[in-house]
Amino acid sequence: LLFTTIYGDNSQFNRLWSYVEHHLDANGLMNWKIGENGEVIGRGSATDADEDIAYALILGEVRWPGHGYELVANKMLHAILAHESDRDGFLLPGDSWNTSEFLNPSYVSPTYYKRFAEVSGDLTWQHIAQVNESWLLKTLFDRTGLAPDWAERSGHFQTDVFGYDAIRVPIRWLAFYRQSYDPQARRMLEQELRTLNTLKQQGLKAGYTLDGHPTVNYLNTDYLASFAAISFCKPYSRLSLGLLWQLCHSQSKTYYGNAMKVWVMSLASNNLH
């Protein structure tokens, strides 16, 4: 949905939104796992996806006004607040988690919350932004700035890996920095950039512990996209241009890898705000 707003494909946007509508749960949020034949095989929602869907609908209203996209976006925003956040303002993993010890740093999407507040008129989104952005910064490993896949409410990491969830954190924060020039976002990205320069000396890999030790001996599109996003905090550097070229020519056989590539390439060309 996000990508179709970027590239102006209203027909595909409508087809994808129809697909979402056919797989909403009782709370009006999308079931998190759908089989290739359209059957729901993972019931309950995933907060990150619902945030992305709501933001795409808002962008869709801007791109193609008069189709009612903002109305359905507001319904989803209300459902996220009602079923995917708690009384303290923390974003839960999904609507099947009434309480949760562990939260996901990659679900924090700081670019979205100002727009959510504007569109919905609900200032709760300002509180959501403050609580979750502050919490995410506590989860970052002090020496590398890398985020874990999951962390406790205290900020202590629950998994000691910069894994396939966490690689989205720099991408979301790069988008936020491009939008706001937020000093905390800049400090975070610059710390990760220092780590990236160190890791690159040994050859980048598709998996690290939080302290920067590789867990595999290969690199894939998924991680390359995340590393490119980190490097874009210093655009036009030799590192960022090299990683962008590498990402352009990288091929992935997975949906996730290709989505990561399109996401970061769109940010690189300033087409996603």
Side-chain angles (χ1 to χ4, degrees), residues 21-22 47 50 58 64 109 130 132 148 195 200 217 232 236 246 249 258:
E21 284 189 297
H22 280 87
T47 303
D50 293 323
I58 292 169
W64 307 291
S109 303
Q130 181 181 16
N132 290 279
T195 298
K200 195 173 187 305
N217 61 2
F232 292 163
Y236 310 114
Q246 198 173 346
H249 293 84
N258 284 308

Side-chain angles (χ1 to χ4, degrees), residues 244-255:
L244 180 60
W245 184 92
Q246 198 173 346
L247 181 61
C248 285
H249 293 84
S250 176
Q251 295 184 350
S252 175
K253 295 181 179 179
T254 70
Y255 161 79

Side-chain angles (χ1 to χ4, degrees), residues 154-184:
S154 65
H156 182 73
F157 59 82
Q158 192 263 338
T159 52
D160 183 25
V161 291
F162 177 64
Y164 281 91
D165 275 350
I167 57 176
R168 295 179 297 177
V169 171
I171 303 174
R172 294 196 187 278
W173 280 72
L174 174 70
F176 179 48
Y177 177 67
R178 288 274 184 85
Q179 177 197 67
S180 66
Y181 297 101
D182 181 82
Q184 288 193 122

